[in-house]
Amino acid sequence: MTATGGSPAANAATARGSAAGAPARKSAVVVGGGLAGITGALALADAGLDVTLLEGRPRLGGLAFSFRRGELTVDNGQHVYLRCCTAYRWFLDRVEGAHLAPLQERLDVPVLDATRGRLGRLRRTALPVPLHLAASLATYPHLSLAERARVGRAALALKGLDPADPALDHQDFGSWLAAHGQSARAIEALWDLVGVATLNAVAGDASLGLAAMVFRTGLLSDPGAADIGWARVPLGDLHDGLARKALDSAGVRTELRTRVTSISPLENGRWRVEVPGERIEADTVVLAVPQAEAHDLLPEGALDDQDRLLDIDTAPILNVHVVYDRKVLKRPFFAALGTPVQWVFDRTEASGLRSGQYLAVSQSAAQDEIDAPVAALRERYLPELERLLPAAHGARVLDFFVTRERTATFAPTPGVGRLRPGAHTKAHGLYLAGAWTATGWPATMEGAVRSGISAARAALTALDRPRDHLFEEAA
């Protein structure tokens, strides 16, 4: 069966418009229903295109989704964003979900050292950069006075770097930190505390260019840039439920459980997208799928050195989920040092749990544990949580389970920047989106949204369609 990229009603309207002498409506197919694909589809539909969104899974949201486990609604992993994530904030506004994922009024991160039993805080004031963090750094108990002074000097040096400089992409962040006087303790207690969570890599494995982008943008650009936001509802409510509602309202035809088998150009300059039982024709296609899948779907010659997409490695994230019979954590979240535990979030209310407390332990750069048996992870993490949370002593564990994303992000290794393609391909009318493309950001929700907007902008430019509605900073 062959179909155009819109609903029958929209196609009929297109035919009537053409007969009346009005410009024919253009059509687009977006392949992939993660944040990049949803954003691209909304942006194209908002510009007046007939849009079809195709997703192989039974839901939208990509790798930021929810599922049911008994009475719980569980996120596959804990996701946060920062105030500087302006494109993702635009996305939340566009799907009318900003109130469900509020930001802190001011950055405040409790940091608990399990070895020393000391609690520190990374907090900001309203003072201008870099003074907004000066008071917090001056009293940060996890570093010595000399280490704090050297951290300040390294931060100023980092602020002077240009993340877009290709030379930085080939250096690793750990070596740069060591060359700027950062001790192993400073890297653990500050630089990796932030960097592992945002880059999904320890400093020694991360591109200096991407690390500079993270720290310059998040901590050294605006006093409020690093204020943290997270969903107070299941991620599926935002990235699937509200996103689907927004797509429907925009007139997007959304097809789930629909896997694309091929994409090919037609002689008339249009594109044919094949799925089981249907061939869809469109004026433009946005391919918003992971890099290996994009490699397999791209027509030959669509990119120079197309095989380089296969050289973009992936990195895993592990999440450990624990349900206690009582409240063991008073704070909404904390970060930890001197323990395998990285970040712990209270997901009780968001999950729908009626009694007890549900904690999610988010473990980035989890290459050593991603395939560990659940029993081994239980034996490792429950004692660590008791060490961090005295109230957990004697508490009964009602449930313990693990979620694993083995290809959660692209690996931000030195040299990855030269492998990441932009939105344009060499094939007219075919565009790429995904956090792994050349957004300038690491693999975050922000990067995914920016990539969707960039792909839509490129497509609309080629089609000579209005782009004024698009988020400007994501260009």
Side-chain angles (χ1 to χ4, degrees), residues 342-354:
Q342 295 176 13
W343 291 74
V344 180
F345 281 79
D346 179 6
R347 299 298 298 170
T348 307
E349 184 176 353
S351 71
L353 183 67
R354 294 187 179 89

Side-chain angles (χ1 to χ4, degrees), residues 83 102 133 148 153 156 187 205 211 297 343 425 429 431 437:
R83 194 179 296 277
L133 294 174
R148 294 175 213 160
R153 290 195 291 270
L156 290 177
I187 292 174
D205 295 335
L297 287 174
W343 291 74
T425 71
Y431 305 92
T437 60

Side-chain angles (χ1 to χ4, degrees), residues 128-150:
V129 174
L131 298 177
H132 66 310
L133 294 174
S136 177
L137 185 59
T139 58
Y140 191 53
H142 306 316
L143 297 177
S144 68
L145 184 61
E147 285 172 329
R148 294 175 213 160
R150 287 194 290 269

Side-chain angles (χ1 to χ4, degrees), residues 135-415:
S136 177
L137 185 59
T139 58
Y140 191 53
H142 306 316
L143 297 177
S144 68
L145 184 61
E147 285 172 329
R148 294 175 213 160
R150 287 194 290 269
V151 162
R153 290 195 291 270
L156 290 177
L158 196 63
K159 194 174 189 299
L161 298 180
D162 178 6
D165 182 352
L168 301 189
D169 179 51
H170 295 279
Q171 303 177 49
D172 75 87
F173 187 39
S175 297
W176 186 92
L177 288 172
H180 285 77
Q182 301 307 288
S183 66
R185 175 64 178 179
I187 292 174
E188 177 200 12
L190 184 64
W191 299 106
D192 269 352
L193 187 78
V194 176
V196 169
T198 52
L199 294 164
N200 198 20
V202 296
D205 295 335
S207 156
L208 174 57
L210 282 172
M213 183 273 155
V214 165
F215 284 94
R216 277 174 47 96
T217 304
L219 295 177
L220 300 170
S221 63
D222 180 86
D227 299 344
I228 299 174
W230 66 97
R232 307 311 202 268
V233 297
L235 283 173
D237 289 8
L238 297 172
H239 300 160
D240 186 18
L242 289 181
R244 181 63 184 271
K245 182 180 177 181
L247 290 164
D248 289 346
S249 296
V252 176
R253 169 195 170 194
T254 303
E255 297 291 340
L256 304 178
R257 296 184 175 90
T258 304
R259 190 161 297 281
V260 173
T261 56
S262 71
I263 298 171
S264 54
L266 299 174
E267 292 183 358
N268 60 5
R270 304 184 83 216
W271 288 88
R272 181 168 62 206
V273 178
E274 296 199 24
V275 300
E278 185 176 4
R279 293 177 177 176
I280 306 171
E281 292 188 13
D283 296 292
T284 192
V285 173
V286 173
L287 196 52
V289 295
Q291 56 268 33
E293 190 174 344
H295 171 272
D296 293 343
L297 287 174
L298 281 170
E300 186 176 353
L303 290 178
D304 289 328
D305 189 16
Q306 205 156 296
D307 286 348
R308 78 182 191 270
L309 299 188
L310 300 178
D311 293 330
I312 302 175
D313 289 333
T314 59
I317 295 178
L318 176 77
N319 278 263
V320 173
H321 308 262
V322 188
V323 180
Y324 291 98
D325 67 343
R326 67 191 71 170
K327 190 177 183 68
V328 300
L329 173 63
K330 296 179 180 179
R331 302 176 181 87
F333 72 92
F334 70 94
L337 304 173
T339 170
V341 172
Q342 295 176 13
W343 291 74
V344 180
F345 281 79
D346 179 6
R347 299 298 298 170
T348 307
E349 184 176 353
S351 71
L353 183 67
R354 294 187 179 89
S355 62
Q357 189 172 34
Y358 163 30
L359 303 183
V361 183
S362 183
Q363 301 293 109
S364 300
Q367 286 86 346
D368 294 339
E369 292 186 320
I370 193 63
D371 292 318
V374 172
L377 294 170
R378 181 185 179 111
E379 185 177 347
R380 176 173 186 148
Y381 282 98
L382 286 183
E384 290 298 323
L385 287 172
E386 287 190 6
R387 193 155 69 104
L388 290 161
L389 302 170
H393 287 279
R396 189 157 58 98
V397 176
L398 302 179
D399 197 6
F400 181 99
F401 59 100
V402 174
T403 51
R404 313 171 198 260
E405 293 295 343
R406 291 176 175 80
T407 58
T409 69
F410 73 83
T413 49

